[in-house]
Amino acid sequence: MSNNVIDDRATKLGEYIVENKATVRCAAKQFGVSKSTVHKDVSQRLKYIDRGLYRDVKNVLAVNKAQRHIRGGLATKKKYESLK
């Protein structure tokens, strides 16, 4: 892949994450790439492409990380309620 294609993908992923307050997993599913690719694009490549967007993505991902234990608890609760 050429650098332009990768840079465009990183920018689109970053914009998607910021606009939708999406998780890495959600963005990966939306764009049909792996979570590792999304993470590398937005945490390493985007820094050199668009600093402002990189900061915005970093803030969204920090919020998602802070809330992930809550989401996990809710998912577990839902799982066991459906088994009853």
Side-chain angles (χ1 to χ4, degrees):
M1 273 191 188
S2 69
N3 266 353
N4 288 340
V5 173
I6 295 171
D7 291 352
D8 288 344
R9 182 185 65 209
T11 303
K12 288 178 183 175
L13 282 165
E15 290 170 350
Y16 178 81
I17 289 172
V18 171
E19 289 171 8
N20 298 294
K21 304 213 182 312
T23 61
V24 169
R25 182 175 292 202
C26 180
K29 190 173 185 179
Q30 181 69 27
F31 285 83
V33 295
S34 71
K35 293 182 300 182
S36 300
T37 300
V38 173
H39 192 267
K40 183 163 185 149
D41 282 355
V42 299
S43 66
Q44 293 177 8
R45 293 185 175 119
L46 197 56
K47 187 187 310 185
Y48 302 106
I49 300 167
D50 186 341
R51 290 289 261 178
L53 182 57
Y54 167 76
R55 275 192 305 272
D56 293 343
V57 169
K58 191 174 170 185
N59 290 335
V60 170
L61 295 181
V63 169
N64 289 343
K65 186 174 182 181
Q67 294 175 348
R68 98 177 138 193
H69 68 283
I70 295 168
R71 284 193 203 113
L74 292 174
T76 303
K77 181 180 177 183
K78 184 178 176 183
K79 173 184 173 183
Y80 285 107
E81 284 177 350
S82 70
L83 294 176
K84 289 182 180 178

